[in-house]
Amino acid sequence: AQSVAQPEDQVNVAEGNPLTVKCTYSVSGNPYLFWYVQYPNRGLQFLLKYITGDNLVKGSYGFEAEFNKSQTSFHLKKPSALVSDSALYFCAVRDMRDSNYQLIWGAGTKLIIKP
Amino acid sequence: DADVTQTPRNRITKTGKRIMLECSQTKGHDRMYWYRQDPGLGLRLIYYSFDVKDINKGEISDGYSVSRQAQAKFSLSLESAIPNQTALYFCATSERQNSRPKADTQYFGPGTRLTVL
């Protein structure tokens, strides 16, 4: 069965420090992987996705994520955190062979950036 | 995303009432989705539609129904609301990918916060 795990409910980072939000996945075939961000009282916004090719994917707002097939991970990273990055972050996966194109979502990680 | 709108934004209702949540999009996308979000559970798919004549059940469709009135409109109904349907509901859209890879990005509305007393 397909699944996504975001092992940390909350991540606290000081402004200016690098941040990492972790995501691991399980699919039968090859994965498509996504990161979304949710700001308070807003819908989810697409950040980036991995389809194929370069394992390092760059996205919006200076975020990037690294696909690691051997570790089945797709961690979200940013070199220098901003207070405005504080939000709820969701990882999602789809099995490339899934003809229904359904995304499986992680439970979300709350990112808090302290000034 | 202003291209995907949901009404109402907030609704409080009582057990047993019929509720309809509406979603409209101006993105011209074929595909539309309804999710619910509960704290600690992430998003769970309720129903999805790949075009006006195509409706599919998602992971948690029991107690819900949908109507795809047009390409741009997708409504979610709770025929007889119950307290455990209290949640944040999101509509999303995506564009059909005619060529590989078929990894369509979903675009979300602002959500409807529903409380069932």
Side-chain angles (χ1 to χ4, degrees):
Chain A
Q2 300 177 71
S3 66
V4 175
Q6 294 182 241
E8 301 155 316
D9 292 336
Q10 183 169 308
V11 171
N12 297 297
V13 178
E15 187 177 26
N17 284 359
L19 70 87
T20 299
V21 183
K22 296 179 180 178
C23 172
T24 58
Y25 66 90
S26 175
V27 296
S28 301
N30 291 320
Y32 293 144
L33 292 152
F34 301 79
W35 274 103
Y36 283 80
V37 59
Q38 183 181 22
Y39 297 103
N41 301 314
R42 301 281 298 276
L44 279 73
Q45 297 178 30
F46 169 73
L47 276 180
L48 51 81
K49 66 182 176 184
Y50 170 82
I51 301 173
T52 187
D54 195 345
N55 290 341
L56 185 63
V57 179
K58 294 187 183 298
S60 305
Y61 311 120
F63 284 94
E64 58 188 28
E66 186 170 11
F67 170 62
N68 187 316
K69 187 172 183 177
S70 63
Q71 296 185 7
T72 62
S73 67
F74 190 56
H75 300 332
L76 182 70
K77 300 181 180 183
K78 186 173 183 180
S80 179
L82 300 172
V83 172
S84 58
D85 292 329
S86 299
L88 190 57
Y89 290 80
F90 289 95
C91 180
V93 67
R94 179 167 83 75
D95 190 325
M96 196 181 296
R97 299 182 303 182
D98 179 6
S99 60
N100 290 325
Y101 304 98
Q102 291 187 43
L103 287 178
I104 304 300
W105 295 82
T109 298
K110 186 176 184 179
L111 178 64
I112 298 177
I113 309 300
K114 298 183 177 180
Chain B
D1 192 320
D3 298 325
V4 183
T5 58
Q6 293 183 235
T7 56
R9 293 293 310 278
N10 289 282
R11 181 72 183 268
I12 300 174
T13 190
K14 295 182 179 180
T15 298
K17 294 291 187 181
R18 184 178 187 274
I19 296 296
M20 179 180 285
L21 309 183
E22 299 188 2
C23 176
S24 295
Q25 53 115 347
T26 58
K27 299 184 78 68
H29 289 170
D30 292 320
R31 298 175 176 173
M32 299 186 74
Y33 310 80
W34 275 105
Y35 289 95
R36 66 176 278 176
Q37 183 183 18
D38 298 277
L41 294 179
L43 275 73
R44 291 183 290 167
L45 184 63
I46 305 172
Y47 272 95
Y48 61 104
S49 169
F50 282 178
D51 64 43
V52 175
K53 297 181 180 179
D54 178 79
I55 303 290
N56 303 280
K57 292 182 177 181
E59 180 186 354
I60 53 163
S61 59
D62 288 349
Y64 301 94
S65 62
V66 291
S67 173
R68 185 82 184 265
Q69 301 95 322
Q71 186 202 39
K73 296 184 181 297
F74 192 35
S75 300
L76 175 72
S77 293
L78 287 67
E79 297 300 326
S80 180
I82 56 177
N84 75 3
Q85 291 177 313
T86 294
L88 190 54
Y89 289 84
F90 286 106
C91 174
T93 73
S94 69
E95 187 174 19
R96 183 193 320 173
Q97 301 290 298
N98 292 319
S99 59
R100 292 185 182 276
K102 295 182 183 291
D104 46 336
T105 299
Q106 294 185 15
Y107 296 88
F108 285 78
T112 295
R113 186 169 296 280
L114 177 66
T115 302
V116 183
L117 301 177

